[in-house]
Amino acid sequence: MNQLEKQYDDLRYKTGCYYTNERNKQIIIFLLKKYGIKRVVVSPGATNFALVGSMQHDSFFEMYSCVDERAAAYMAIGIAEKSNEPVVLSCTGATASRNYMAALTYAYKRNVPILVITSSLSLASVGHLQAQVTDRAHSPIDMIYKSYQFDNIKDGEDEWSQTVRCNEALSTLLDVRKPVLINVCTTYSLDFSVKELPPARYIPTVSSAENRPKLPIGNICIFIGSHSKLTDLQIQAIDTFCKNHNAIVLCDHTSGYNGKYKVNMSIVLSQEKYLSKHRKVNLLIHLGEISGDYYTFLGISPKEVWRVNPDGAYVDFFRKLKNVFKMKESKFFSMYADDNINTSQTFLANCRKESEGFFNTLPEVPFSNIWIAKELSSKLPQNSQIHFGILNSLRSWDFFNLPDGVESACNVGGFGIDGCVSSLIGAALSNPDKLFFGVVGDLAFYYDSNIILNKNLPQNIRLIVVNNGRGIEFRNYCHPASRALADGADTYVAAAGHFGDQVNSAIVDLCKSANIKYYRVANKDCFLEVENDFLKNNLDSAIIIEAETTPQNENLALMIYRQFAKNFDSKILHFGVKYPFLLKLIRKIK
Amino acid sequence: MNKSIDILLKSLENQQIIKHIVCPSARLLLSKSEMSLPNPIDIIDERSAGYVATGLCAESEQPVVIWCADNDSYRNLTSALTEAYYRKLPILVVALSCDNVINQTMNPNDTIRYYVNNTLYNRAGTEQDIHKAIDYLFAEVKGPVYLSLGSYQEPVVQAENAVSDQIDVTAITKIIPSSACVHIGKDFVCECSHLCEVVLRNDHCTKDGNLSMLIGSSIVDRNKLHVGIFSAEELAYDLNMFGIRHVNGNIVIFSVIIDEQNPTILDVAKRFGWDCCHINITERDCVIEKLVISDKPLYIEIVL
Ligand SMILES: Cc1ncc(C[n+]2csc(CCOP(=O)(O)OP(=O)(O)O)c2C)c(N)n1
Ligand SMILES: [Mg+2]
């Protein structure tokens, strides 16, 4: 035994040979055991030694060695077909994985669940003439159902992502029963001293009532992102669930929910000097798609999250995902309707009380998008609809409730400012007997302004363009761009000074040619003068109000709203602004 | 192709799918092939058309059809398809084959949810494809559906046809000083041998961006007069560029009006500080002296 061999021998003697310390493999191994996937066919090589070296010390795994990867893959198919269980394939770099391809194409067609775990040097080494490294970024679509790249883990973000994706990979494998690929990287770590596998978050897919998890005790809230109008049946199911479980529904103007358990916590949770104790919930049930309700989703603090969606996708928006329910919402809520019933409605009552308290004491704000929202939101006529521009308009209006019977929409799918007016017009075309309101910013309006050149525009539209001469979004006092660059953010980030720089705005000309009634207002009084006409239920003349506001007033309004309540000392916060690294440290420790 | 369109329209009607949004690129192809759609909604600019469809679809809670050419202009639908993807809106995108078909085999993941026939060899759109597309519109998890119609080997519009539609603008180019940099829009031809720098956009198969490219060039060489000869439709695509703060006095746009006229673009340009005028081609000599670098960009509407 030479010197080096002896050194390693000593190391092994001291530490023993157990699991690798490479975290990406620990996650895979831990979750394979959780999902009960035990059979592994291994082909020889170096990049996979951390994986197979760990597995071979765990009696849970049933392992087979096969030199030729092509034969290994077909062997795995045979095992999977016979046992009716998924099988893991493991190989190294070089051309090893290319030999899997014929067999995997066959497995794909025949729905054989194979988890292909290829191993590699770091992803960054691809394309630099590294010996044995091949590019596995894309696979043929009729061979691998879904593929994942697990690079060496460098931080908590990597670990979070790989944990969720690994759960998704294994659930998909069990559900779809076609080959799934995980390409996992290695640092060739020599350290196999980990005796007990550190756990990884287990996030199963639940698709039937029999194996449903227990509802946790404590406050429950349902958070709905953007959603098509919920049907009466869906609303009924949600409301019954809330009634029986002391739950509330947090949603905004894109959620399509107008049931009895809705609470608007946007203004409460937006506070910078006040912390609501209702932000803490034990369970958050996440429905719908993307949400623009920033204050609410940034403010709420759930212990665990259950995602419910027929698509079964692993969406971990709050990073607290515990279960994925691949089913219709109505099924989910009726499934739990009668489980540990708690009919006290204290949570609802307390949240309502808090939010109403805020509404009843709202301070006066200067002429701005927020002021317009406050002025108009309660006056929108029955059976109308309102569309909001991305993003300042939506956020301003999310502070306020709309009357029952008023629907609302916003392009929060792609979050673009490029089609807000076009979408409003599309909606208006679909229903000529209904009024369609819209509130957009100047950039959003001009971006999409050629829609006004079309002939036969619908007349049932009422649009407010809040013209503040820029994307005020980026000049809000709380926006990082404005904090970092101050007025310097105007030039490029907020794109100030285009489109006639407020004073020479051409909206009046566009309106004239399209026969749209046009008003320009620059203060509250002028706005109030035209308001009645704007709200009138007259379906045969479109109206656009151009509301000219100043960046100062837009900011002041927002600041007044976000700082008017106080229940903790803001010194801590200021400290955090001054010494951001300390804040980071505190978060990390937490 | 006409046969496929017929079958598609019948099948859609059977399912009560009746909203058709037509992009300009598809309008051209449909009129060449003499096909008509029931109650079409024509929208200028594919991007707006896409968003009109998302608005319509979300409000009506019914599938909506967008008709578009399967060429570069299709890429302008991407924003609205992204919107539709994340909101799970059932929108059928009918991509009509034509010259310059694009490669649809690899696209952003979060646009179309269901492809029916996007590979290079199966794009014709058989009856089976059509039924598959309609089924996708009613899938449990909804989203945009891609259906290609017409084989790319026999596009609806043959190249020769397209050429015959081009309009001669020599009458305009004649009065342009030879030192200018001239950009000529998609549908125009001209005699321009006296000009030292000419950029023809007839290889650009969509109509967006021509004004933007001219403005881009004008910023690089401010001491050179930049002249654009564009159709009103091309300018409509780039309408918001009239308001960009980087335009200088070295730009002259000829907006060529053939039949209809609509004063909107002129009014908008004027508001944004452009010098504007409206002339007949017979009066062209009166603008010659204005074809120099000045302190404002110039917009000339010219009726041929
Ligand atoms: C297509 C697209 N480009 C850029 C953005 C980034 N963006 C988000 S909000 C915003 C500013 C919009 O300004 P405006 O419409 O004037 O509204 P304001 O914030 O001033 O109320 C921009 C550029 C986007 N969402 N979509
Ligand atoms: Mg603005």
Side-chain angles (χ1 to χ4, degrees):
Chain A
M1 201 179 277
N2 67 27
Q3 186 62 32
L4 202 65
E5 279 171 345
K6 189 158 180 331
Q7 224 173 309
Y8 288 137
D9 211 45
D10 284 350
L11 187 74
R12 262 193 307 279
Y13 176 75
K14 271 196 219 125
T15 63
C17 204
Y18 307 98
Y19 298 106
T20 172
N21 69 340
E22 291 190 0
R23 183 64 187 145
N24 52 4
K25 266 126 247 150
Q26 292 177 351
I27 293 171
I28 294 174
I29 295 169
F30 185 88
L31 289 173
L32 279 172
K33 293 176 73 172
K34 273 289 199 187
Y35 283 83
I37 300 170
K38 60 173 193 253
R39 294 190 184 84
V40 189
V41 180
V42 183
S43 295
T47 50
N48 54 344
F49 85 77
L51 179 76
V52 299
S54 305
M55 285 171 154
Q56 80 188 55
H57 290 105
D58 186 329
S59 60
F60 171 84
F61 293 104
E62 198 179 302
M63 300 176 70
Y64 305 92
S65 171
C66 179
V67 175
D68 174 345
E69 284 85 4
R70 186 174 64 193
Y74 282 113
M75 185 176 153
I77 293 176
I79 298 172
E81 278 179 341
K82 186 76 187 155
S83 65
N84 207 19
E85 279 178 17
V87 175
V88 179
L89 266 178
S90 165
C91 73
T92 183
T95 56
S97 62
R98 306 279 141 120
N99 288 284
Y100 283 159
M101 292 179 75
L104 292 177
T105 307
Y106 180 69
Y108 186 95
K109 279 188 209 140
R110 290 174 59 99
N111 292 335
V112 183
I114 304 285
L115 178 68
V116 188
I117 305 182
T118 56
S119 300
S120 176
L121 286 183
S122 75
L123 296 181
S125 60
V126 174
H128 294 290
L129 306 182
Q130 280 282 353
Q132 310 202 30
V133 172
T134 60
D135 184 348
R136 289 163 173 157
H138 298 287
S139 306
I141 52 172
D142 51 356
M143 180 182 98
I144 293 289
Y145 184 79
K146 201 144 189 201
S147 80
Y148 301 87
Q149 304 287 329
F150 286 9
D151 211 336
N152 295 309
I153 288 180
K154 296 176 200 73
D155 56 19
E157 176 100 350
D158 291 347
E159 175 165 359
W160 160 72
S161 165
Q162 288 185 20
T163 305
V164 178
R165 291 295 154 231
C166 191
N167 275 285
E168 179 182 75
L170 300 183
S171 297
T172 307
L173 182 75
L174 290 166
D175 181 36
V176 182
R177 304 190 87 77
K178 283 183 186 294
V180 168
L181 166 72
I182 297 176
N183 182 38
V184 64
C185 298
T186 186
T187 57
Y188 292 130
S189 166
L190 308 181
D191 185 340
F192 281 79
S193 64
V194 180
K195 260 191 199 152
E196 206 170 321
L197 207 48
R201 185 150 49 109
Y202 170 55
I203 314 166
T205 291
V206 182
S207 44
S208 66
E210 295 83 68
N211 54 6
R212 69 180 185 277
K214 266 209 190 117
L215 270 182
I217 309 290
N219 291 344
I220 297 180
C221 93
I222 299 168
F223 179 91
I224 314 182
S226 66
H227 199 295
S228 55
K229 263 173 257 175
L230 289 162
T231 61
D232 290 345
L233 199 78
Q234 285 171 319
I235 292 180
Q236 209 176 20
I238 291 177
D239 288 358
T240 313
F241 175 88
C242 289
K243 188 176 111 221
N244 287 352
H245 297 97
N246 194 15
I248 61 165
V249 179
L250 292 178
C251 56
D252 82 337
H253 297 326
T254 65
S255 313
Y257 172 81
N258 58 358
K260 281 186 279 197
Y261 291 84
K262 171 176 177 167
V263 193
N264 184 349
M265 294 291 277
S266 175
I267 186 86
V268 175
L269 295 172
S270 75
Q271 293 306 310
E272 294 176 322
K273 301 178 175 177
Y274 172 95
L275 259 187
S276 164
K277 62 174 191 270
H278 300 122
R279 73 186 193 287
K280 290 197 170 160
V281 292
N282 284 15
L283 171 64
L284 182 147
I285 298 169
H286 183 195
L287 311 184
E289 313 302 326
I290 293 173
S291 170
D293 190 4
Y294 278 75
Y295 298 132
T296 303
F297 67 64
L298 290 177
I300 194 88
S301 163
K303 234 191 211 138
E304 69 180 75
V305 173
W306 294 5
R307 169 81 183 155
V308 182
N309 198 300
D311 69 7
Y314 273 63
V315 171
D316 189 11
F317 181 73
F318 295 93
R319 306 207 172 189
K320 292 280 170 60
L321 189 62
K322 197 75 183 285
N323 291 293
V324 174
F325 292 82
K326 185 178 181 175
M327 58 182 65
K328 290 191 168 134
E329 291 102 336
S330 48
K331 177 173 172 190
F332 172 86
F333 288 110
S334 38
M335 192 162 91
Y336 281 104
D338 300 324
D339 287 14
N340 53 339
I341 293 183
N342 165 10
T343 52
S344 92
Q345 310 233 330
T346 47
F347 190 40
L348 177 72
N350 291 339
C351 291
R352 278 255 164 88
K353 195 167 145 211
E354 186 179 30
S355 100
E356 274 159 22
F358 272 78
F359 279 111
N360 296 335
T361 53
L362 282 177
E364 191 56 30
V365 291
F367 188 56
S368 57
N369 208 330
I370 291 182
W371 182 85
I372 296 172
K374 172 154 197 258
E375 172 57 30
L376 227 48
S377 50
S378 61
K379 297 183 180 167
L380 294 172
Q382 281 294 307
N383 193 31
S384 65
Q385 187 174 94
I386 180 160
H387 284 232
F388 303 107
I390 295 293
L391 158 64
N392 192 50
S393 300
L394 174 67
R395 256 207 269 90
S396 301
W397 286 69
D398 266 349
F399 283 137
F400 306 97
N401 291 316
L402 300 174
D404 285 344
V406 175
E407 289 168 352
S408 46
C410 175
N411 282 351
V412 289
F415 245 83
I417 60 168
D418 45 0
C420 305
V421 185
S422 293
S423 292
L424 169 71
I425 287 183
L429 282 170
S430 133
N431 196 343
D433 302 327
K434 181 167 159 182
L435 272 187
F436 286 82
F437 291 87
V439 184
V440 300
D442 46 325
L443 301 196
F445 177 82
Y446 276 112
Y447 202 130
D448 196 14
S449 55
N450 61 9
I451 187 70
I452 305 290
L453 300 179
N454 285 286
K455 296 195 193 90
N456 307 321
L457 286 178
Q459 294 302 313
N460 51 334
I461 54 167
R462 299 281 181 277
L463 181 66
I464 298 175
V465 182
V466 180
N467 188 347
N468 43 36
R470 70 211 71 226
I472 195 68
E473 178 66 24
F474 313 106
R475 293 310 320 279
N476 283 337
Y477 71 97
C478 41
H479 195 281
S482 209
R483 278 164 50 196
L485 305 173
D487 285 348
D490 263 347
T491 339
Y492 301 108
V493 180
H498 294 290
F499 313 125
D501 203 7
Q502 279 190 297
V503 277
N504 288 320
S505 176
I507 302 177
V508 58
D509 305 290
L510 286 161
C511 287
K512 196 177 84 197
S513 78
N515 233 336
I516 297 172
K517 204 165 178 183
Y518 170 84
Y519 294 110
R520 184 180 175 100
V521 298
N523 58 48
K524 295 178 185 175
D525 289 340
C526 295
F527 188 91
L528 294 174
E529 266 167 41
V530 303
E531 184 186 286
N532 275 345
D533 192 27
F534 190 72
L535 292 170
K536 215 180 284 162
N537 199 1
N538 168 6
L539 294 164
D540 33 59
S541 164
I543 302 178
I544 293 184
I545 297 179
E546 181 170 8
E548 191 184 335
T549 66
T550 63
Q552 293 76 14
N553 283 344
E554 292 280 0
N555 252 298
L556 195 57
L558 184 64
M559 192 184 286
I560 291 173
Y561 263 40
R562 295 195 64 188
Q563 301 188 347
F564 83 97
K566 203 166 170 183
N567 71 351
F568 71 90
D569 198 342
S570 59
K571 265 188 202 141
I572 298 179
L573 212 71
H574 286 159
F575 191 69
V577 172
K578 256 189 180 161
Y579 307 104
F581 61 95
L582 271 181
L583 206 68
K584 257 189 209 157
L585 197 75
I586 293 170
R587 278 207 199 108
K588 244 193 192 150
I589 293 168
K590 258 191 184 168
Chain B
M1 162 122 140
N2 290 16
K3 200 173 136 229
S4 312
I5 294 179
D6 257 341
I7 299 173
L8 174 63
L9 288 176
K10 285 214 181 79
S11 321
L12 288 169
E13 206 184 304
N14 285 341
Q15 299 289 334
Q16 274 125 36
I17 300 171
I18 49 168
K19 300 287 193 210
H20 297 275
I21 312 280
V22 185
C23 297
S25 58
R27 172 53 64 209
L28 187 74
L29 298 177
L30 289 168
S31 60
K32 300 267 159 157
S33 67
E34 291 171 358
M35 288 301 292
S36 66
L37 306 177
N39 305 316
I41 302 172
D42 278 87
I43 300 289
I44 301 167
D45 193 337
E46 281 70 15
R47 186 173 67 203
S48 310
Y51 275 113
V52 167
T54 61
L56 188 59
C57 180
E59 168 60 14
S60 65
E61 301 186 86
Q62 299 286 328
V64 171
V65 189
I66 307 181
W67 297 75
C68 186
D70 206 352
N71 61 15
D72 308 23
S73 64
Y74 177 95
R75 302 251 146 99
N76 276 329
L77 284 177
T78 312
S79 280
L81 292 178
T82 309
E83 177 67 26
Y85 179 89
Y86 284 112
R87 285 177 57 204
K88 301 199 169 131
L89 299 172
I91 288 181
L92 177 61
V93 188
V94 179
L96 299 173
S97 281
C98 54
D99 285 347
N100 307 308
V101 286
I102 50 171
N103 189 333
Q104 294 274 15
T105 46
M106 187 79 105
N107 277 324
N109 278 334
D110 46 0
T111 54
I112 296 286
R113 189 176 276 273
Y114 300 109
Y115 287 95
V116 173
N117 54 349
N118 59 320
T119 64
L120 280 177
Y121 60 85
N122 73 350
R123 253 146 110 166
T126 61
E127 193 164 346
Q128 209 185 353
D129 290 341
I130 289 169
H131 292 310
K132 201 163 148 193
I134 292 178
D135 285 347
Y136 280 141
L137 291 173
F138 296 97
E140 166 139 40
V141 180
K142 297 190 172 45
V145 179
Y146 172 95
L147 173 69
S148 158
L149 288 187
S151 132
Y152 78 105
Q153 282 106 338
E154 356 163 10
V156 205
V157 191
Q158 297 295 336
E160 318 87 69
N161 282 352
V163 171
S164 66
D165 290 340
Q166 295 202 315
I167 295 151
D168 192 330
V169 290
T170 306
I172 301 173
T173 48
K174 262 194 187 150
I175 61 168
I176 298 174
S178 61
S179 60
C181 169
V182 184
H183 285 219
I184 295 181
K186 173 174 167 46
D187 292 335
F188 302 127
V189 288
C190 63
E191 163 47 54
C192 50
S193 52
H194 71 291
L195 298 172
C196 67
E197 199 180 339
V198 177
V199 180
L200 295 169
R201 296 294 181 197
N202 46 22
D203 61 336
H204 182 210
C205 68
T206 67
K207 291 190 174 170
D208 54 325
N210 290 346
L211 172 61
S212 307
M213 289 189 269
L214 177 79
I215 292 175
S217 172
S218 76
I219 289 167
V220 176
D221 192 349
R222 294 197 182 191
N223 297 320
K224 196 177 198 78
L225 184 70
H226 279 71
V227 182
I229 304 176
F230 302 127
S231 66
E233 195 189 354
E234 280 169 306
L235 293 170
Y237 270 90
D238 275 15
L239 181 69
N240 59 41
M241 285 301 281
F242 283 100
I244 188 175
R245 58 172 205 248
H246 300 292
V247 290
N248 298 299
N250 62 338
I251 300 179
V252 176
I253 307 283
F254 285 95
S255 169
V256 179
I257 309 288
I258 291 135
D259 30 39
E260 264 180 284
Q261 45 178 296
N262 176 339
T264 322
I265 297 181
L266 188 143
D267 290 343
V268 168
K270 196 187 239 164
R271 182 72 62 179
F272 287 148
W274 292 57
D275 265 337
C276 294
C277 62
H278 177 92
I279 59 168
N280 207 293
I281 187 70
T282 52
E283 308 161 280
R284 64 180 176 179
D285 288 347
C286 70
V287 294
I288 290 181
E289 61 182 28
K290 291 187 171 180
L291 303 183
V292 289
I293 297 177
S294 66
D295 57 349
K296 280 179 170 186
L298 173 62
Y299 176 82
I300 304 169
E301 223 165 62
I302 187 158
V303 183
L304 276 196

